[in-house]
Amino acid sequence: MIPELLLQLPQLPQLPQLPLPIAATAVTDGIGVVLQWDTLLYIGLGMLVGMLVGAFPGVTATMAVALASGFTLTMDPIQGLAVLLTIYVAAQFGDRVPAILINTPGTPASIATTFDGYPLAKQGKAGLAMTASAFGSAFGMVIGIIVLSLFAIPLAGLARQFGPPEMFALVVFGLTMMIGVSSGRIFKGLVAGAFGLLLATVGRDPITGDQRFTLGILELNGGVPFIPVIIGLFGVAEVLNQMVTHRRNAVQDKPINQLGQWMPDRAMFRRLVKPMGIGAGTGSVVGLVPAVGGDIAGIIAWDNAKRFSKRKDEFGKGSIEGLTSADTSSTATLGGSVTTTMALGVPGDSVMAVLIGSMMIWGIQPGPALFTNDPSLVYTLATILLVATVLSLGLSLVRMKSMVKLLELKNQYLWIIILVFCMVGTYSISNSVFDVFVMLIMGLIGLFMLRFGFPAGPAVLGLILGPLAESNLRRTLIGDGWSGFLTSPIALVLFAISAAALLLPPLRQMRLRRKQALKDKDEGLSVLIP
């Protein structure tokens, strides 16, 4: 028994088994694919789009990637990935501009940027805040890229040992993690996830191939199309929501246009080292947890930096340390997010869910076999992210008054542009009017979800991962029955973590409410008893 176990141990991480020449070839091949002029051109295009997307409040990176995916499906997969990933990277830099100048996050990832960015801008230090944010974001991105390069292939090699019980548990883990971080809306997250799983049942049975719930519609034989659903839920729904909530006579916030000092001096750079380290460490760990995005990582890092800072009183009032730690952490999650998405097939956040939908249409199936069969893809992705980071940092350090002018653009013009791109991009996927109808219907459903607090992320994740979950569940039950789950330690651990992700947040809220009620009761008694 012991010799057999010893023989099995080296099979878990598969990268160390590769001969050094093969590993070196994977690195050179992965980098060489990116350094071609056409791929670099697409990276530059993605950078410009991403910076603009981040600079406009309300136009999220998820929406931008969803819109762009409709136009990239006819490209070579590497070029399409270059565009989509670069948009995501550049948006992480551009979204800091409105967060600092008008106290409005460009994307959810820059929520923590507003804690200290806007107070710094009101003190006349907007330029310093923007450059410190850019350096922190770039450093966090580089750390994330290192995480991707080091852990992607070993993680994929380990996950390749998973059978149907472990894969089903992994999908459940990914779904519950996204539901568990749905801003405290656990029940509504569950409903949204169930809606996505229900959509995933439309089409052909993954085991028998029989048609299900197609209602006689030929276009539904292959299932509900991913991209129109994603564009509808994240693009059309957001525009419709802004139209509904827009007030005609509302006064739009004027951006602060006095940027002040632009580049930090040596003393300031030395002061930024510690918060950047805290942010990078926090974001790297948080990024490896599926569905936990940069917004949560930024808040956690901001709190950690405050705990270890000698200037705690400045946090929330204009702390350059708080700003840098938050932005470093939110971007450091990207490497871990890409790692879990590609190596496990479980999206790290909503943008990665959109990316998986595009990759499946390209014929690329994210999961354990992706990196183990083609190790060079890891270094291709890492190189794309690194080039995009360098270009975005360079553009962010340019003192651009035009970025301030862009913030004064009226939202009505943006709505028209976005809706046109939504329809054109959706139609261009397969030249199908049916896809456009699906997009519009999902846009209305997404508007309902936004207005009533149902998160769209679990719905998209349920749609994408539903077939994978169903096929592995049924294979397990056909082969071993329920005992297949009970005899798998990995599956049991994943189920336990999933249950904790759903149960702990409401239990914590109940405990806080109870504590607050006792506190209010004690205060009431103290008032009555002099």
Side-chain angles (χ1 to χ4, degrees):
M1 178 64 70
I2 294 177
E4 292 178 0
L5 292 175
L6 292 176
L7 288 174
Q8 293 175 3
L9 286 177
Q11 297 176 6
L12 292 178
Q14 298 198 4
L15 180 59
Q17 294 183 0
L18 291 175
L20 185 59
I22 297 179
T25 302
V27 174
T28 55
D29 289 348
I31 296 175
V33 171
V34 179
L35 299 182
Q36 298 179 6
W37 69 269
D38 51 350
T39 306
L40 292 174
L41 182 63
Y42 284 118
I43 290 176
L45 176 63
M47 180 200 64
L48 294 176
V49 173
M51 290 292 287
L52 290 174
V53 163
F56 288 119
V59 185
T60 65
T62 306
M63 181 195 301
V65 173
L67 291 176
S69 61
F71 296 93
T72 58
L73 296 179
T74 56
M75 296 181 182
D76 177 82
I78 297 301
Q79 296 173 350
L81 284 171
V83 174
L84 299 182
L85 286 174
T86 305
I87 289 175
Y88 190 20
V89 170
Q92 305 297 309
F93 286 84
D95 64 355
R96 274 56 177 173
V97 176
I100 292 171
L101 297 183
I102 61 175
N103 200 31
T104 303
T107 68
S110 61
I111 290 175
T113 307
T114 61
F115 296 172
D116 290 297
Y118 189 63
L120 283 168
K122 290 196 296 184
Q123 297 171 15
K125 302 177 181 178
L128 185 63
M130 292 171 68
T131 52
S133 171
F135 281 118
S137 299
F139 180 73
M141 201 75 70
V142 171
I143 297 300
I145 294 170
I146 294 174
V147 170
L148 170 65
S149 303
L150 293 180
F151 295 105
I153 295 178
L155 184 61
L158 177 63
R160 197 163 188 184
Q161 312 300 323
F162 288 5
E166 292 80 11
M167 289 304 299
F168 175 74
L170 184 63
V171 173
V172 172
F173 172 71
L175 277 170
T176 53
M177 289 303 297
M178 180 163 280
I179 293 169
V181 298
S182 298
S183 303
R185 300 167 292 177
I186 301 295
F187 175 73
K188 293 181 178 180
L190 284 170
V191 173
F195 172 66
L197 291 173
L198 182 64
L199 290 178
T201 62
V202 177
R204 294 191 177 275
D205 187 294
I207 302 297
T208 66
D210 297 332
Q211 293 184 11
R212 309 182 299 188
F213 312 122
T214 59
L215 304 177
I217 301 174
L218 184 63
E219 288 83 357
L220 291 178
N221 285 344
V224 178
F226 298 122
I227 303 302
V229 171
I230 292 170
I231 293 176
L233 290 178
F234 288 110
V236 177
E238 182 60 40
V239 172
L240 294 178
N241 185 54
Q242 292 185 25
M243 289 180 176
V244 170
T245 58
H246 177 71
R247 296 181 180 178
R248 183 178 298 273
N249 298 323
V251 179
Q252 188 171 345
D253 292 336
K254 291 291 182 181
I256 295 175
N257 51 24
Q258 299 299 323
L259 301 182
Q261 179 184 349
W262 188 251
M263 292 298 294
D265 53 24
R266 284 187 178 181
M268 182 60 68
F269 271 120
R270 286 195 295 268
R271 185 179 169 187
L272 297 181
V273 171
K274 183 178 178 180
M276 286 170 65
I278 294 173
T282 304
S284 299
V285 175
V286 173
L288 290 170
V289 180
V292 182
D295 51 347
I296 296 175
I299 295 172
I300 294 174
W302 184 87
D303 187 63
N304 289 339
K306 180 180 180 180
R307 189 177 298 118
F308 292 102
S309 175
K310 297 179 180 178
R311 301 179 176 88
K312 293 182 176 62
D313 56 319
E314 294 182 3
F315 279 70
K317 302 176 183 178
S319 170
I320 199 73
E321 296 177 15
L323 171 72
T324 308
S325 63
D327 289 348
T328 303
S329 181
S330 64
T331 55
T333 60
L334 184 60
S337 180
V338 174
T339 300
T340 56
T341 300
M342 301 298 181
L344 302 179
V346 178
D349 53 28
S350 56
V351 176
M352 292 295 111
V354 176
L355 195 64
I356 282 184
S358 298
M359 293 179 69
M360 293 173 69
I361 295 177
W362 283 323
I364 302 174
Q365 179 62 55
L370 182 62
F371 286 157
T372 52
N373 291 339
D374 185 11
S376 65
L377 184 59
V378 175
Y379 306 105
T380 297
L381 297 175
T383 306
I384 290 173
L385 295 174
L386 183 60
V387 173
T389 299
V390 172
L391 293 177
S392 299
L393 174 62
L395 188 60
S396 299
L397 294 179
V398 177
R399 190 184 182 105
M400 293 182 296
K401 289 281 187 179
S402 56
M403 294 295 289
V404 180
K405 295 294 183 182
L406 285 175
L407 296 176
E408 299 177 356
L409 183 67
K410 292 185 177 180
N411 291 333
Q412 291 88 331
Y413 299 127
L414 278 179
W415 297 339
I416 297 173
I417 295 171
I418 292 172
L419 287 177
V420 169
F421 272 99
C422 284
M423 290 187 286
V424 173
T426 301
Y427 181 79
S428 65
I429 296 171
S430 55
N431 296 329
S432 171
V433 177
F434 177 78
D435 287 353
V436 178
F437 279 119
V438 171
M439 177 203 70
L440 294 175
I441 292 171
M442 287 300 160
L444 294 175
I445 294 175
L447 174 62
F448 172 85
M449 295 173 71
L450 281 173
R451 300 300 297 161
F452 290 94
F454 291 90
V460 172
L461 202 57
L463 173 62
I464 293 175
L465 297 182
L468 182 64
E470 181 185 2
S471 60
N472 283 287
L473 173 62
R474 290 171 63 179
R475 287 191 182 101
T476 303
L477 296 179
I478 292 172
D480 302 315
W482 293 105
S483 63
F485 297 111
L486 299 176
T487 56
S488 171
I490 295 176
L492 291 175
V493 170
L494 291 174
F495 284 139
I497 298 175
S498 302
L502 294 179
L503 296 176
L504 289 180
L507 290 175
R508 189 182 299 114
Q509 290 179 358
M510 290 174 59
R511 182 182 177 185
L512 291 175
R513 284 197 297 266
R514 184 177 179 182
K515 186 181 294 185
Q516 185 64 38
L518 291 174
K519 182 180 179 181
D520 294 341
K521 184 178 179 180
D522 292 340
E523 290 178 353
L525 290 174
S526 64
V527 172
L528 294 174
I529 302 174

